[in-house]
Amino acid sequence: MRIENSFIPVEGVGETTERRLWQRGVRTWDEFDPAVDVAGVGSTTAERIESFIAEARARLDDGDAAYFDRRFPSGERWRLYEDFREETCFFDIETTGLDEHRDRVTTVSFHQGGETTTLVAGRDLTADRLRERFREADLLATFNGARFDVPFLETSFGIEVDTPHLDLMYPCKRIGLSGGLKPIEKEIGIDRDRPDLSGRDAVRLWREYERGDDDALETLVSYNREDTENLRTLAEAVCESLHRDVFAPAVEK
C-alpha cells in the first residue's frame, strides 16, 4: 500500500470513510472525483480531500517524508514505507545497560540501500557521525526505537533525532506479533546466524572487548548488524500483511 492510496490524513476522513472510497473505486488520488457519492463525503470533506491531494502530490514529488509523518495518524505511518523504501534507514543500538543516564552506547548499526555500516564507541561513534547518518535518511525504522534507541542516543550524544520514524513494534502488535524482536523473527521465519546470542550477551561481549578481546567486538558488531538487516525483512513482511488486511479487502470486492 502506498501513500497515494490514502485519504485518512484528511480532516473528517476516518478508516470507515476511507474504506468506502476504496470500495467505490476511488483507490488512488488520481481517481478522486468531488462528485463521488460516498457516505461521509459531503461538499466540505470533498474540498478538503482535493486540497490535501494538491499539496500531497507536491510534497511526495519533493520526497518530503516529514510532511506525511505529520499528517498521518501515528498508527498509519507504516503506509510511508512503500514510497520511501530505498531511503529508509534501519538502525539498532547496543548498550552496556538499559539506563540512558548511566549506561553507554557501544555500537550503532545502520542498514540503508542494501549496505550496512557500524559505528563503534571509542572509534567512530560520535554525535557528528550520527547526525550525518540520520540526515541521509528520509525515514527511520527500528524495533522499540521510539522508547529505547532514539532517547538513548539523544541523551548520550546530545543530539535531536527528528527524522520521521517507523517503530515496527507497533504495526507488529497490530497484526498479532508481540514480544521482543527475536521471538517475532522466529515466528515469521527470519533466520539468524547466531540465534543463541541476546542483548545480555551484547553487554558481555563489550566487556570482553574492553579487556582486550578483539574477537568479542567482531561478534558484537556482527550481532548488531544482523539486527538492522533483519529489520528490513520484518518491515517488508509487516507492511505486506497490513496491506492485505487494510487495503486489499476493500478493493477486491
Side-chain angles (χ1 to χ4, degrees):
M1 184 172 178
R2 305 182 69 88
I3 291 171
E4 303 95 312
N5 302 123
S6 302
F7 300 91
I8 204 168
V10 178
E11 181 184 353
V13 178
E15 293 179 10
T16 300
T17 301
E18 183 181 58
R19 191 178 305 112
R20 287 170 180 159
L21 283 164
W22 294 336
Q23 290 169 342
R24 291 285 296 186
V26 185
R27 300 167 183 177
T28 68
W29 298 341
D30 287 339
E31 294 171 315
F32 180 73
D33 181 340
V36 65
D37 182 17
V38 172
V41 181
S43 59
T44 299
T45 300
E47 289 175 6
R48 289 174 181 159
I49 292 174
E50 284 192 298
S51 177
F52 164 72
I53 291 172
E55 182 172 12
R57 283 189 201 282
R59 298 281 190 159
L60 192 56
D61 287 344
D62 290 340
D64 188 353
Y67 169 78
F68 297 102
D69 186 62
R70 293 189 302 269
R71 291 297 302 261
F72 275 75
S74 60
E76 301 298 331
R77 288 189 182 128
W78 63 273
R79 302 188 191 193
L80 276 65
Y81 179 67
E82 186 65 29
D83 287 271
F84 293 97
R85 179 194 302 263
E86 294 308 314
E87 295 78 28
T88 298
C89 178
F90 302 87
F91 84 95
D92 180 74
I93 73 174
E94 301 300 338
T95 68
T96 58
L98 301 178
D99 189 333
E100 64 207 63
H101 299 286
R102 293 186 307 173
D103 296 308
R104 297 172 57 205
V105 180
T106 57
T107 63
V108 185
S109 287
F110 304 89
H111 180 70
Q112 183 174 356
E115 297 184 357
T116 307
T117 59
T118 303
L119 304 179
V120 178
R123 295 186 177 183
D124 52 5
L125 178 51
T126 65
D128 285 343
R129 292 294 298 275
L130 290 169
R131 291 190 188 98
E132 179 183 355
R133 294 299 311 188
F134 292 134
R135 276 198 304 268
E136 292 173 354
D138 288 337
L139 181 67
L140 303 179
T142 66
F143 188 90
N144 196 31
R147 296 193 306 182
F148 184 73
D149 301 69
V150 168
F152 215 115
L153 290 179
E154 291 181 329
T155 298
S156 299
F157 293 92
I159 63 174
E160 182 180 358
V161 181
D162 55 6
T163 306
H165 182 188
L166 172 61
D167 188 333
L168 291 166
M169 183 174 72
Y170 300 103
C172 277
K173 288 181 178 179
R174 185 168 170 179
I175 62 172
L177 296 171
S178 58
L181 177 60
K182 310 303 184 296
I184 288 175
E185 288 177 351
K186 186 175 182 179
E187 185 170 346
I188 66 174
I190 299 176
D191 295 324
R192 280 184 168 262
D193 291 335
R194 291 289 303 274
D196 54 313
L197 292 179
S198 67
R200 186 171 298 178
D201 291 306
V203 177
R204 172 183 57 80
L205 289 165
W206 181 257
R207 297 304 185 201
E208 291 175 2
Y209 164 66
E210 288 185 312
R211 293 194 292 269
D213 186 351
D214 288 340
D215 288 342
L217 177 62
E218 184 177 340
T219 302
L220 173 60
V221 168
S222 176
Y223 170 77
N224 188 203
R225 291 167 71 90
E226 193 168 32
D227 274 348
T228 63
E229 291 162 7
N230 285 357
L231 284 175
R232 183 179 189 113
T233 306
L234 178 62
E236 302 280 349
V238 169
C239 291
E240 176 59 29
S241 179
L242 284 167
H243 170 84
R244 292 194 301 268
D245 291 347
V246 175
F247 188 61
V251 302
E252 289 171 358
K253 290 182 179 180

